[in-house]
Amino acid sequence: MYAYGATLFPMPSSAPMYAGFRLEVLTRVLTSSHSSNYTTQSGNVSSVVNMAHQSRYANAKSISPPPLKRRKRDEDPPLRGQTTSTNLPFTDANSANTGSLRIFSWNVNGITPFVQSYVQTSIENFFKPSAKSSSPTTGQKRRRTGSGDETDDSEEEQVTHLAGKPGAEDLSKEGKASLRLALKRFGWPQILFLQEIKIKLGDEKTIGAVRQAINDGNVSPAESGRANDTKVSNSIRSDTEGEGSLTYLADGGPEYEVRFNLPADPYNAKGFGGKVYGVAAIIRKDFMAHHVQQIRNVSWDREGRVQIIETRSISFPLNLDKPQQQVMNADNPNGTSQESFMFAIINIYAVNGTSNPYRSTHTGAEVGTRHDRKLAVHTELLREAISLESQGFQVIIAGDLNVAISELDGYPNLRTKPYQHVLNRNDFKNKFFTANSIDTTSPKAAYFKGTQSDTNDILRGFDGLDTFRHVHGDEQRYSYHPRGVLWGSSCDRVDLVVGSRSLSRNIIDAGICDSPRDRGPSDHCPIWVEVGPGKT
């Protein structure tokens, strides 16, 4: 045997003449680096092994192999986008203003990690691999590659869950994939929008699992909930009686409802067995019962990209515990003016422009590229927003817009190649952040059936507020942090909350939960806005 570091290697017994030579060379290597600590031990293998073992711990940096566990480098400065606990919007100890309307949005890049423990699978399925899907215990999910959303969903990688392990709530480590725990961290907001949920139309099993996951009051960071657990000792008290009563679950939080818009386009959303795109709106039951008029999809989208929540008139401060005390007139008992708004809150997963073909959803004929479809969606979304404002709604657009607005929103730089990305960015800025006249000449990839997208008219720009910039100015924070690269080394702010200009006094706060913990198994971080009484 001969030794290197602390490892013993077998040496051919048929070559004893080399033993002394190998031993002497190894001894010289050790003594040359540590001549002040050791003396040569010729002919004694065990002595050399002891020397190597001592040397490894005497000066680990100079001996190979290195320690198996990487040392934590506390002296390293945080990278761009690195979050500390002071950046988090709401915590259990510092809850949000209960009188405000709080909206969160998160591209989860696949719902599977969040519902695996709720999907009931027969024992036979664990022994019969399916060609259509992987085992629910694999923890795998598709990732985007950055080449466009037709091919984004093909890459898979293992998801690491940290539940029950020391440091599970460390911001630098991936958090448990739990919708209920996310809602709790967010301070039980009225609305949580999800994008890119990747649920196939008609998959009632997964849809049911999502409903269970958002109301599993027994879930904790240390253990995963099961579908049958949510039926036992989950609801513990109710503040009021009747429809829309506020029911608290075992974790102290309220109940939620969920609405889906899943892809139904037979030509543009058929990849991966239909498990592409898709959005969902998770809404507090008390808010739904007392303040929501309707939740609808739009006629110009069949890819499962858009939802709109239209509310009744809401006045601040918002009181969900006792909505009957909500004062809806111009003056409250204290004699101070009270604002009331109807909100149209749009959940969107915008098209990621690529050169891949876009086909007519009616005929299947190629009518343009995904870049063309992206521009068409900009026009259709603008037309929707302008129409809603004309009906008296305050419009809030929240989601993954798949566009970084300025140089502040991309690190180390903005995407400029191919040049069409620059044109897409300028088109979005012109339509949503200016009041310019917009020529809506029919785009090549417009939906056109049952919409006005095929008409040639002039609209004004939305002239909206980028709520994050409205609150934080030029601060550089990012919502898209791709996996497989060092956190903060390549990132963009492509998830946005854009509001009507008239809400400028009512934007209380806005932010990005930009940490590996809050990103979870996705490649996007949650974003949020808080709307409340107007600032004076």
Side-chain angles (χ1 to χ4, degrees):
M1 305 284 285
Y2 70 98
Y4 187 65
T7 305
L8 295 177
F9 297 88
M11 183 173 61
S13 57
S14 58
M17 61 180 296
Y18 296 107
F21 172 74
R22 290 183 178 182
L23 183 59
E24 184 177 355
V25 169
L26 178 61
T27 303
R28 289 180 180 179
V29 170
L30 293 173
T31 56
S32 64
S33 299
H34 310 283
S35 56
S36 60
N37 299 324
Y38 307 107
T39 57
T40 303
Q41 303 290 325
S42 302
N44 191 332
V45 175
S46 61
S47 298
V48 176
V49 173
N50 289 336
M51 290 164 53
H53 183 75
Q54 295 170 12
S55 176
R56 178 184 179 188
Y57 294 98
N59 191 350
K61 291 184 178 180
S62 61
I63 295 295
S64 177
L68 295 177
K69 185 175 181 180
R70 295 182 61 184
R71 291 186 176 184
K72 184 176 179 181
R73 300 183 62 183
D74 295 330
E75 70 277 14
D76 286 349
L79 293 168
R80 290 179 181 267
Q82 189 69 42
T83 301
T84 63
S85 58
T86 57
N87 297 127
L88 295 181
F90 313 118
T91 64
D92 293 338
N94 182 23
S95 61
N97 177 7
T98 56
S100 60
L101 171 62
R102 292 174 294 114
I103 303 163
F104 278 70
S105 177
W106 188 9
N107 180 326
V108 294
N109 196 10
I111 203 69
T112 300
F114 297 90
V115 299
Q116 283 178 344
S117 60
Y118 301 91
V119 176
Q120 296 300 297
T121 306
S122 64
I123 189 66
E124 291 82 8
N125 287 343
F126 288 97
F127 301 98
K128 297 179 181 179
S130 171
K132 294 182 179 180
S133 62
S134 59
S135 166
T137 61
T138 59
Q140 292 182 341
K141 68 186 294 293
R142 294 177 179 134
R143 306 290 183 190
R144 64 168 57 185
T145 63
S147 60
D149 56 4
E150 276 66 47
T151 56
D152 282 345
D153 305 328
S154 61
E155 183 179 352
E156 294 187 352
E157 65 180 54
Q158 187 71 25
V159 176
T160 302
H161 297 297
L162 300 174
K165 297 181 180 181
E169 287 299 294
D170 187 334
L171 293 179
S172 66
K173 297 179 180 179
E174 181 178 318
K176 173 182 170 58
S178 167
L179 292 175
R180 188 68 186 180
L181 290 179
L183 289 166
K184 183 177 182 179
R185 282 201 305 268
F186 301 159
W188 310 118
Q190 286 84 10
I191 297 171
L192 168 59
F193 284 153
L194 304 180
Q195 300 91 40
E196 205 173 0
I197 57 177
K198 301 179 184 177
I199 299 177
K200 182 180 180 179
L201 184 66
D203 184 356
E204 295 300 328
K205 192 174 185 179
T206 301
I207 289 172
V210 174
R211 291 195 174 103
Q212 292 172 326
I214 62 176
N215 287 311
D216 186 357
N218 296 319
V219 72
S220 69
E223 59 183 70
S224 173
R226 286 285 182 182
N228 56 356
D229 292 338
T230 62
K231 301 176 183 178
V232 181
S233 302
N234 201 6
S235 177
I236 58 173
R237 69 183 178 89
S238 177
D239 276 1
T240 58
E241 295 182 358
E243 183 180 358
S245 62
L246 180 58
T247 300
Y248 292 97
L249 303 184
D251 56 6
E255 288 185 289
Y256 283 84
E257 296 186 25
V258 60
R259 297 291 187 272
F260 299 90
N261 182 14
L262 302 180
D265 190 318
Y267 303 107
N268 299 292
K270 62 181 182 179
F272 305 101
K275 294 183 178 181
V276 293
Y277 318 141
V279 294
I282 299 173
I283 308 166
R284 279 178 56 150
K285 280 192 173 182
D286 48 358
F287 184 80
M288 173 81 84
H290 297 292
H291 297 293
V292 174
Q293 288 190 62
Q294 68 169 334
I295 303 172
R296 64 179 176 88
N297 302 335
V298 294
S299 59
W300 43 268
D301 165 51
R302 293 187 70 193
E303 293 187 11
R305 293 184 177 274
V306 182
Q307 289 175 299
I308 302 179
I309 298 175
E310 296 178 4
T311 76
R312 302 180 178 94
S313 185
I314 294 176
S315 59
F316 295 108
L318 191 62
N319 189 340
L320 291 177
D321 290 336
K322 299 180 180 179
Q324 66 274 15
Q325 296 182 5
Q326 192 84 13
V327 180
M328 306 306 295
N329 53 33
D331 297 305
N332 64 26
N334 296 326
T336 58
S337 177
Q338 188 172 38
E339 297 174 291
S340 296
F341 302 100
M342 291 193 306
F343 289 96
I345 309 166
I346 302 175
N347 180 14
I348 183 165
Y349 174 41
V351 176
N352 185 16
T354 71
S355 58
N356 293 329
Y358 176 76
R359 302 183 182 279
S360 167
T361 188
H362 312 294
T363 67
E366 185 174 332
V367 294
T369 67
R370 299 297 288 183
H371 285 302
D372 295 321
R373 180 57 186 159
K374 183 175 183 67
L375 298 178
V377 168
H378 289 173
T379 298
E380 290 159 342
L381 180 62
L382 171 63
R383 194 185 303 279
E384 194 79 45
I386 295 298
S387 174
L388 287 164
E389 282 192 328
S390 71
Q391 299 172 51
F393 288 99
Q394 300 295 318
V395 176
I396 297 175
I397 304 168
D400 180 0
L401 276 303
N402 262 315
V403 60
I405 304 303
S406 73
E407 292 183 355
L408 294 173
D409 301 316
Y411 181 81
N413 48 52
L414 279 179
R415 188 177 184 182
T416 58
K417 294 180 180 180
Y419 188 69
Q420 184 63 45
H421 289 293
V422 177
L423 299 179
N424 295 346
R425 179 180 303 115
N426 291 339
D427 180 79
F428 184 81
K429 290 166 62 177
N430 192 36
K431 288 175 179 173
F432 289 93
F433 295 113
T434 77
N436 298 339
S437 295
I438 306 296
D439 184 357
T440 61
T441 301
S442 178
K444 290 192 297 183
Y447 184 91
F448 49 71
K449 183 177 181 180
T451 74
Q452 295 179 334
S453 299
D454 55 340
T455 61
N456 299 335
D457 59 358
I458 302 295
L459 289 177
R460 66 170 176 84
F462 182 63
D463 192 27
L465 286 173
D466 179 342
T467 59
F468 179 84
R469 290 276 166 250
H470 181 68
V471 173
H472 297 283
D474 292 343
E475 183 177 348
Q476 291 180 273
R477 302 269 292 280
Y478 308 98
S479 62
Y480 175 63
H481 289 262
R483 308 186 73 85
V485 300
L486 185 65
W487 176 272
S489 62
S490 176
C491 38
D492 300 279
R493 191 174 70 94
V494 296
D495 303 84
L496 309 172
V497 180
V498 181
S500 294
R501 177 69 56 177
S502 53
L503 285 174
S504 59
R505 294 176 56 253
N506 300 93
I507 304 301
I508 305 301
D509 206 353
I512 306 171
C513 301
D514 49 348
S515 71
R517 182 198 71 173
D518 292 298
R519 179 186 65 177
S522 180
D523 48 8
H524 288 253
C525 299
I527 61 173
W528 57 276
V529 67
E530 184 176 4
V531 183
K535 299 177 181 178
T536 57

